[in-house]
Amino acid sequence: MMRIAPVVCGVALIAAGMLAGPALAFDGTKSDDPLTPVEAFRYGARALKTGEKEKAVTSLEYAAEKGHALAQWKLGRMYAEGDGVPHDDLRAFEYFRRVASSHADDSPGTPQARFVANAFVALGHYYLDGIPKTAVKRDPQRAREMFSYAASYFGDPDAQYFLGQLYLDGVGTPADPRQAARWLRLSAYKGQHQAQARLGAMLFSGDQVPRQAARGLMWLTLAKDAATAEQGWITKLYDSAFGQATEDERALALVYLQRWMEKRRD
């Protein structure tokens, strides 16, 4: 990972205070035994649920400094979104970097694997755009490496979607529509609706792939149904395809859609 300036968060001082003499638990009661990282994380998670963000951050930072991967990931999300803490992309980057560096070889079947994969995806976005006024510069090739690792090793559908987009747009790698379609298809079959939209548009128009209008319309229908209000581009792609489709193509798309739904229920 790219080295960046250490993040100053005061966690070491907090941890030292907790470990010295009769320790204070996060609820202020005395305890002869320091809390384990797992206990600290659980306390932080409870504090988040009750809206006690300051207590949550203190306990999560303690757990994160002790190497608790999920605490590191959660803090990364909080700093990236400004949720209960000031928005700070550099601190978020550092927490995601810790997760990726320490857990890249975790088995994809472990419960925390999806959080590790998500950390790689977050790093990919930071490398794709860079973080202004920091040592984290725009590096599309490194972004592709982050997405590629999460997509191939962890099989993460979001990573597969973003990797497909890079191949489609020729960012960080030469444009390769076949590779793009491959990754988008893997993601789409896992229910990633953005990938379904991009793949559907490619198939419907025959954009650098063999045209399969009905199949493309099926994917676009699934994507439209799952899209959020902020994803108007998906609705536009669907409306355009539906308006151009013949009656036979619409009918066949409906058959494909019914088969898809039946398989998902099984």
Side-chain angles (χ1 to χ4, degrees), residues 46-67:
R46 287 196 297 270
L48 282 176
K49 288 183 178 179
T50 58
E52 299 174 283
K53 295 293 180 70
E54 187 173 345
K55 290 182 179 179
V57 172
T58 299
S59 56
L60 289 173
E61 286 181 337
Y62 176 77
E65 285 302 304
K66 296 298 181 181

Side-chain angles (χ1 to χ4, degrees), residues 174-206:
D176 189 334
R178 292 186 66 181
Q179 279 284 10
R182 171 178 174 261
W183 288 111
L184 291 174
R185 184 175 287 106
L186 287 171
S187 181
Y189 272 101
K190 294 174 182 175
Q192 215 285 359
H193 66 277
Q194 294 162 290
Q196 292 172 341
R198 294 297 184 194
L199 178 63
M202 291 179 71
L203 291 174
F204 184 83
S205 64

Side-chain angles (χ1 to χ4, degrees), residues 150-180:
S152 56
Y153 182 73
F154 289 106
D156 184 80
D158 288 332
Q160 291 170 340
Y161 163 66
F162 292 119
L163 183 59
Q165 274 293 106
L166 294 187
Y167 277 114
L168 196 60
D169 299 334
V171 176
T173 182
D176 189 334
R178 292 186 66 181
Q179 279 284 10

Side-chain angles (χ1 to χ4, degrees), residues 57-245:
V57 172
T58 299
S59 56
L60 289 173
E61 286 181 337
Y62 176 77
E65 285 302 304
K66 296 298 181 181
H68 194 285
L70 192 49
Q72 293 169 344
W73 175 85
K74 182 58 181 175
L75 284 166
R77 299 284 0 141
M78 291 174 71
Y79 278 107
E81 298 166 5
D83 179 17
V85 294
H87 176 262
D88 191 328
D89 284 322
L90 187 58
R91 294 185 76 168
F93 176 91
E94 176 60 17
Y95 278 119
F96 291 133
R97 186 198 63 78
R98 292 187 201 179
V99 176
S101 295
S102 300
H103 299 276
D105 295 329
D106 285 7
S107 170
T110 60
Q112 69 184 32
R114 66 190 181 100
F115 300 104
V116 179
N118 182 265
F120 273 96
V121 171
L123 289 172
H125 285 298
Y126 279 126
Y127 281 122
L128 195 59
D129 300 324
I131 303 176
K133 300 179 181 179
T134 74
V136 184
K137 305 303 181 184
R138 184 174 185 274
D139 189 342
Q141 185 172 349
R142 195 67 186 277
R144 181 185 60 79
E145 292 171 358
M146 297 295 105
F147 293 142
S148 181
Y149 189 82
S152 56
Y153 182 73
F154 289 106
D156 184 80
D158 288 332
Q160 291 170 340
Y161 163 66
F162 292 119
L163 183 59
Q165 274 293 106
L166 294 187
Y167 277 114
L168 196 60
D169 299 334
V171 176
T173 182
D176 189 334
R178 292 186 66 181
Q179 279 284 10
R182 171 178 174 261
W183 288 111
L184 291 174
R185 184 175 287 106
L186 287 171
S187 181
Y189 272 101
K190 294 174 182 175
Q192 215 285 359
H193 66 277
Q194 294 162 290
Q196 292 172 341
R198 294 297 184 194
L199 178 63
M202 291 179 71
L203 291 174
F204 184 83
S205 64
D207 182 15
Q208 303 182 78
V209 294
R211 188 171 189 268
Q212 300 178 54
R215 184 74 66 183
L217 187 57
M218 179 206 78
W219 287 122
L220 285 166
T221 303
L222 289 169
K224 177 185 70 71
D225 290 344
T228 65
E230 293 76 25
Q231 295 172 326
W233 63 272
I234 293 178
T235 302
K236 288 181 180 179
L237 287 176
Y238 167 81
D239 289 343
S240 176
F242 188 83
Q244 297 176 57

